[in-house]
Amino acid sequence: AGGGPSAPFSGGSQYAVPDPMQSSSTANASSSTNTLHESGPSQNIASPFLNSIINYIHRHHVPFEYIDAWVPSFVPDSEETTNTVTDNNTDPSNQEDKRPKCRLCFAGSMVTKQVMVGDGTAHPRRAMPLSPDDQFNLSAFGDYSESFSFDVGCGLPGRVYHMGVPTWEQSVHNAPLHHFERVGGSQQWGIRTVVGIPVPSPNVGRIVVVLYSRHDRPKDHDLVI
């Protein structure tokens, strides 16, 4: 990806991807629980959008093996949500907090068919088929992520949504829990590098796409500019 094609995620990209909310509401997004894996038949609201990104990853040898999408959804504050990451400083007695709150909810995921090996300098970068073990671990991490939602400003999806700028984080399996809340899953299924990217959406304003790798990937500014 370095120094090559325009990234498909930025607003000014030459590479057109469909708006993930084009035919679906955020209410549908909050109830979506099926992970879309490349080899599986299940569908979700973000599948055309995620397919476009997966195709880009394959064509341009982007060094990530798994992606997911997070969309804003307004849910009642009293609603019980599994693994909701919130701001602990919120005063529960504040009447304003009883209004529906915006949370980033899981909207789907995909696993690539390839993994990039080589550092691109001493060893040429090349694509290799993703092993069954990698496929299993990445799919399992996707199933694990489905149970999470994030308040705006909290968790990686919530931070990227709030700030509107990409973040590239390495060694997330060693990150403190308050920084990467899914550290337990990253340790269990071998996630090492995570990139969160805000993506403009005409219908909901902004969504967040996150790329994951089971390898340590050096930061590539060209990928997220």
Side-chain angles (χ1 to χ4, degrees):
S6 300
F9 316 107
S10 60
S13 170
Q14 299 291 323
Y15 180 69
V17 295
D19 176 31
M21 301 294 102
Q22 188 170 11
S23 60
S24 304
S25 66
T26 55
N28 289 336
S30 64
S31 62
S32 175
T33 57
N34 289 330
T35 302
L36 175 63
H37 304 303
E38 183 94 15
S39 58
S42 59
Q43 295 293 320
N44 60 60
I45 61 169
S47 58
F49 175 72
L50 295 180
N51 265 305
S52 298
I53 297 177
I54 287 290
N55 290 336
Y56 182 94
I57 287 173
H58 287 160
R59 287 200 310 269
H60 299 295
H61 292 175
V62 177
F64 291 87
E65 303 91 56
Y66 168 81
I67 62 173
D68 60 23
W70 300 83
V71 301
S73 178
F74 284 92
V75 296
D77 187 43
S78 60
E79 179 178 299
E80 293 293 332
T81 305
T82 305
N83 290 333
T84 299
V85 180
T86 62
D87 184 352
N88 292 328
N89 294 322
T90 300
D91 182 359
S93 64
N94 191 328
Q95 292 299 315
E96 292 186 358
D97 291 337
K98 297 184 184 301
R99 297 179 302 178
K101 300 179 76 171
C102 181
R103 291 184 184 144
L104 277 294
C105 297
F106 185 89
S109 64
M110 294 190 78
V111 178
T112 68
K113 295 179 179 178
Q114 65 188 30
V115 59
M116 297 305 302
V117 298
D119 56 14
T121 54
H123 302 90
R125 182 179 292 174
R126 66 188 189 280
M128 299 288 291
L130 198 67
S131 70
D133 182 63
D134 280 345
Q135 292 177 22
F136 172 82
N137 283 291
L138 292 165
S139 296
F141 181 77
D143 294 338
Y144 164 82
S145 295
E146 287 181 19
S147 64
F148 283 79
S149 67
F150 300 88
D151 279 356
V152 174
C154 300
L156 186 143
R159 292 196 305 271
V160 173
Y161 179 85
H162 177 66
M163 300 299 294
V165 294
T167 181
W168 191 298
E169 300 184 3
Q170 296 169 270
S171 300
V172 293
H173 61 297
N174 292 325
L177 181 62
H178 70 269
H179 185 74
F180 189 71
E181 293 74 9
R182 290 173 289 164
V183 63
S186 67
Q187 291 172 350
Q188 183 170 355
W189 292 294
I191 304 299
R192 296 292 181 265
T193 306
V194 179
V195 176
I197 303 172
V199 180
S201 166
N203 290 329
V204 299
R206 177 182 295 158
I207 70 164
V208 175
V209 171
V210 187
L211 287 69
Y212 306 79
S213 178
R214 300 188 74 225
H215 303 268
D216 183 29
R217 303 297 190 184
K219 190 169 185 177
D220 183 352
H221 292 279
D222 292 328
L223 179 65
V224 294
I225 290 176

